[in-house]
Amino acid sequence: SIANLIGNPGSIRSKIRRRTGTRTVKRLHPDRYNLGYMTQMTPLSAQQDTLLARTLWRIEAELYGPLTLGSPAAVEGVSPFHLCRAFLLRLGRSPMAYVKARRLSEAALALQSTNSKVIEIAFTAGYESHEGFSRSFRKYFGHAPSAVRANPDLVLNLQEALTMDTTKPPAL
């Protein structure tokens, strides 16, 4: 139909609910629905800031456990879509992208400072295989885990733990 060709905003919202994250938004309409579209919504209220502070605390407390988007949302009594949208507005990335960045950053620190096997660090970081961990590590940092182990002075863009005192809204 003609609505599918020009893009129906109602269907876009439902697709965003099913597939959260900025990549999904850019894939739908790269020139019209990008991260700028998501950040042009109303500013976060104090209640939403409290929600994000509790969510960040919960993520850090359960960083190495099995964590899904639904678990912090259910505890807070909001939908996963609402939590993801508030996270995107405030931090510029989805909650699960933040979790992945934190886990990989902690793994990079472990590679630089310990003699643990790469597979043990991969399992600790929540990966089920060495290959999946190496692929994600290389994609995020641009270096293989073995290169980080071999050169501990390598400068990496690590994701530090965030608190609501240190977060700033993304630049528009």
Side-chain angles (χ1 to χ4, degrees):
S1 78
I2 193 78
N4 290 336
L5 294 174
I6 61 172
N8 181 354
S11 65
I12 290 171
R13 283 191 211 106
S14 64
K15 288 177 186 174
I16 292 172
R17 282 189 192 111
R18 278 186 256 128
R19 302 163 81 195
T20 57
T22 57
R23 274 188 270 144
T24 302
V25 177
K26 288 179 183 176
R27 236 181 280 138
L28 293 173
H29 291 284
D31 56 336
R32 186 169 161 209
Y33 294 98
N34 57 20
L35 185 58
Y37 164 77
M38 296 297 285
T39 57
Q40 290 172 5
M41 295 178 178
T42 57
L44 295 180
S45 65
Q47 183 180 13
Q48 288 172 321
D49 271 347
T50 304
L51 166 74
L52 291 180
R54 289 191 308 255
T55 302
L56 283 170
W57 178 84
R58 184 164 282 106
I59 286 172
E60 292 301 326
E62 301 173 6
L63 188 61
Y64 295 110
L67 190 63
T68 62
L69 184 57
S71 59
V75 170
E76 295 299 330
V78 297
S79 70
F81 175 73
H82 175 75
L83 181 64
C84 187
R85 185 178 50 131
F87 220 87
L88 273 168
L89 285 170
R90 184 68 159 158
L91 303 176
R93 64 170 59 171
S94 72
M96 296 315 290
Y98 173 75
V99 169
K100 182 178 180 179
R102 286 287 298 130
R103 287 178 176 174
L104 288 173
S105 296
E106 292 296 321
L109 290 174
L111 283 168
Q112 289 178 332
S113 62
T114 67
N115 290 329
S116 300
K117 294 181 179 179
V118 174
I119 189 71
E120 291 173 0
I121 294 172
F123 288 149
T124 304
Y127 288 86
E128 296 179 2
S129 69
H130 177 272
E131 294 81 14
F133 172 72
S134 295
R135 191 178 318 114
S136 291
F137 195 91
R138 183 184 306 260
K139 186 175 180 180
Y140 188 77
F141 291 115
H143 302 285
S146 57
V148 173
R149 168 69 50 86
N151 186 6
D153 297 327
L154 198 62
V155 177
L156 299 174
N157 185 18
L158 300 176
Q159 173 65 60
E160 297 294 326
L162 295 177
T163 63
M164 286 309 291
D165 297 337
T166 60
T167 58
K168 292 183 260 181
L172 295 179

